[in-house]
Amino acid sequence: MSYFDVASAAPLHPVARQALVAALDEGWADPARLYREGRRARLLLDAARDAAAEAVGCRPDELSFTPSGTRALHSAVAGAAAGRRRTGRHVVVSAVEHSAVLHAAAPYDTTEVAVDRRGRVDPAVFAAALRPDTALACLQSANHEVGTLQPVAEAAAACRGAGVPLLVDAAQSLAWGPVSGDWSLLAGSAHKWGGPPGVGLLVVRKGTRFAPQEPADERESGRAPGFENLPAIVAAAASLRAVRAEAAAEAARLSALVDRIRARVPQLVPDVEVVGHERLRLPHVVTFSCLYVDGEALLSGLDRAGFSVSSGSSCTSSTLTPSHVLKAMGVLSEGNVRVSLPPGTAAEDVERFLATLPRVVADVRAQTGADTVPGAANEPAATGSSDDAGATEPGAGLVVDSLGKRCPIPVIELAKVIGEVPLGGLVTVLSDDEAARLDIPAWCAMREQEYVGERPAERGAAYVVRRRV
Amino acid sequence: MSYFDVASAAPLHPVARQALVAALDEGWADPARLYREGRRARLLLDAARDAAAEAVGCRPDELSFTPSGTRALHSAVAGAAAGRRRTGRHVVVSAVEHSAVLHAAAPYDTTEVAVDRRGRVDPAVFAAALRPDTALACLQSANHEVGTLQPVAEAAAACRGAGVPLLVDAAQSLAWGPVSGDWSLLAGSAHKWGGPPGVGLLVVRKGTRFAPQEPADERESGRAPGFENLPAIVAAAASLRAVRAEAAAEAARLSALVDRIRARVPQLVPDVEVVGHERLRLPHVVTFSCLYVDGEALLSGLDRAGFSVSSGSSCTSSTLTPSHVLKAMGVLSEGNVRVSLPPGTAAEDVERFLATLPRVVADVRAQTGADTVPGAANEPAATGSSDDAGATEPGAGLVVDSLGKRCPIPVIELAKVIGEVPLGGLVTVLSDDEAARLDIPAWCAMREQEYVGERPAERGAAYVVRRRV
């Protein structure tokens, strides 16, 4: 088995495991108590806070331990926005923030700053979104789905100039180094860096207005109610220190493996789009999407072949909508795969993945009949005809009814019939799958066809494409 | 060392430790993922939920794991109140609920139901507090400071009759058995039953209106945002099952030890009030208060003698106010000690505690000069005079100025001068220590003097006492 989903959760670092087991014996008591066991727990908590603060680059009294990265982000958004409620209720976020940020920001008047096709925010556009009534701005250090680094230092400088606090979601990058720039708040998550679950970090720089919105509680500077998860906190801090010691060497090694995946996958698998920034990226994350591929089938094929990866495809999530990150980037969401390599990943495992992937993709395409799509690898000679060929309608050209069919079927049906209309002719795809909104334009871009636009239909939407090649 | 503060935190149960260490290897992945490691984590999570639900006496899909008991209570109050916001914003709580409940209920229109001197709610009074606009009622299964059991089943029946959901804080009792009665919501905390920190339980019975107030998140039925703390959850469930298997035998054994403490302490130490219900109580908790004793000095003396206990005295908390539980009961808060015995406590350790306590109390009393109080143990013959004897004022009798002096000094000074006024004469104590409001009337009750009342003073308050004996 090769586990390539460290961006979801990392296996426990050996140092974390050792620290956790030791702290179970030494750190179970209430650190607020004055007796021996409590004082011992307090010492462990203080030492963990010092270590974590040093790794983050903040003062220990600016750092609170929370029950998770998600809770840290929730508390950060609510506390910072409430601290500046007199300024206004406007919150700036990038369109590709983690859902924990987007959900926490939902009650506010929110501006989502767009990203480019590689998932990166333009710092000037981010700065321009700041308003006199902006209470808070939020920008991740690196994207969790495609690995693109964000211009945090530039955004922080712009925020500082405008008097707006910047919250940095550093969950994906904290293993690799501190976040540079003059940010005001920061959140992290220990199980992303080989610490145990149950520990997040919330950093609130001195001078940042902050009004915790949870009920009053004296623990963790009033910023994280509830009994401290001390053994896990001790393990989290130990693990952060340990991964940082290995970070520079491991970043270089994994980054080379990611470069290899980025280069080889499009050579090995037809109709693939590698997404995310090729240079300004996390060392260990690479994401690509495969045309005409059902994401869940692909994941399960890779799982059977011994590879654990995740996907932003709609068909693999419970919400039936494609990842908001891929959507914001405007890239294909079909057959999406995120590979995130744990520290220590062997080059041979990556080669084995590259050797396996083409067969798995081909199998999945054969299952959905995508292997008969004209232009697809191993396709039979184009016949100009298909079971799904639809009727023609005045003004709509050829109409393909994909209602009730889930991703990637609408795109496969489009690909099968496009040859049936003359150059300059129209194909209209009727679809009620949310992913079609993303994948039909993405297919057009990859296939050099013209995406004309969409209009509402009785059910779902009608997506109009003009044949150009 | 004898650790007698299991009501704060229990050392990890050996079964919990074993389960936790095993789950570190098997349960670190994201249970929402479909690959092998994720499915394995999901199986562990489901099994833990089944086990916890069986111990609580609910359906597995009614139970969510939260990051702590405190967070479970916060979510329960906010979610249940929001679920019934159309009914009203009135919340009923007992006056002796855990501060997590009181703080969570603070934003609402709250009625605090009084308790008797033994800390118990009268179910008829609780029922009478329900109103047509009551959104939620909250009653603990057992009090965390004095161990008194509450009439939860009766309260639940009354609530059910009135159509009001009852939230039960079962943190202190869940180790001993399920909570009986037709309650609607329940919260618990794993580190109180020998589980690790970082795990709470939130149970919401089917049919209970509940609107989670945290930002949207798909985990734990949307009731506990953030990545599941899986290894700790597995350990918590295993531990609950293990302590339940030993509960009946251990309850009988510890209860006998508590009976022994309840009987012997007043015989061994002069001027002690044992508080809480002598019969309707947790098996392992006993609380008493010692006149003329500084709580922090007592705790630190006991710690040096090898006993870890906690206290509801004002001088041992950061807030400088006595425990709201002791206050609601109207009992002495001076020199307060809570003993809560962990499972497995040896009878010899309890005997050693009983042998040590009198010396430690006497030492502390000697430090504050309380050993010279007339009527105190080993006091010298009453002299009718004291350094602190004050002036007499018309209508106020003898005035003792204790302004700026902290508990237990105001009571010690009162005790020293009461002999100086004639029978029927008045002593007025000026004090700005919040604890005096509780301790002066409590002293009067213990000493059979008449507490006349208090009135505001330029600083603090003036407490008036009439000499009766």
Side-chain angles (χ1 to χ4, degrees), chain A residues 213-217 225, chain B residues 69-79 81-82 89 91 93 97-110 136 138 167 213:
Chain A
Q213 292 304 288
E214 289 93 1
D217 190 283
Chain B
T70 294
R71 299 264 184 172
L73 289 168
H74 290 176
S75 297
V77 170
R89 288 185 52 82
V91 173
V93 296
E97 293 301 302
H98 191 276
S99 59
V101 171
L102 299 180
H103 287 143
Y108 300 91
D109 170 14
T110 305
L136 174 68
C138 309
L167 163 62
Q213 293 304 288

Side-chain angles (χ1 to χ4, degrees), chain A residues 2 57 96 116 170 180 234 237 261 281 298 337 419 427 433:
Chain A
S2 289
V96 296
D116 62 23
S180 58
V234 169
I261 296 172
R281 61 166 175 80
L298 179 55
V337 169
V427 178
D433 181 351

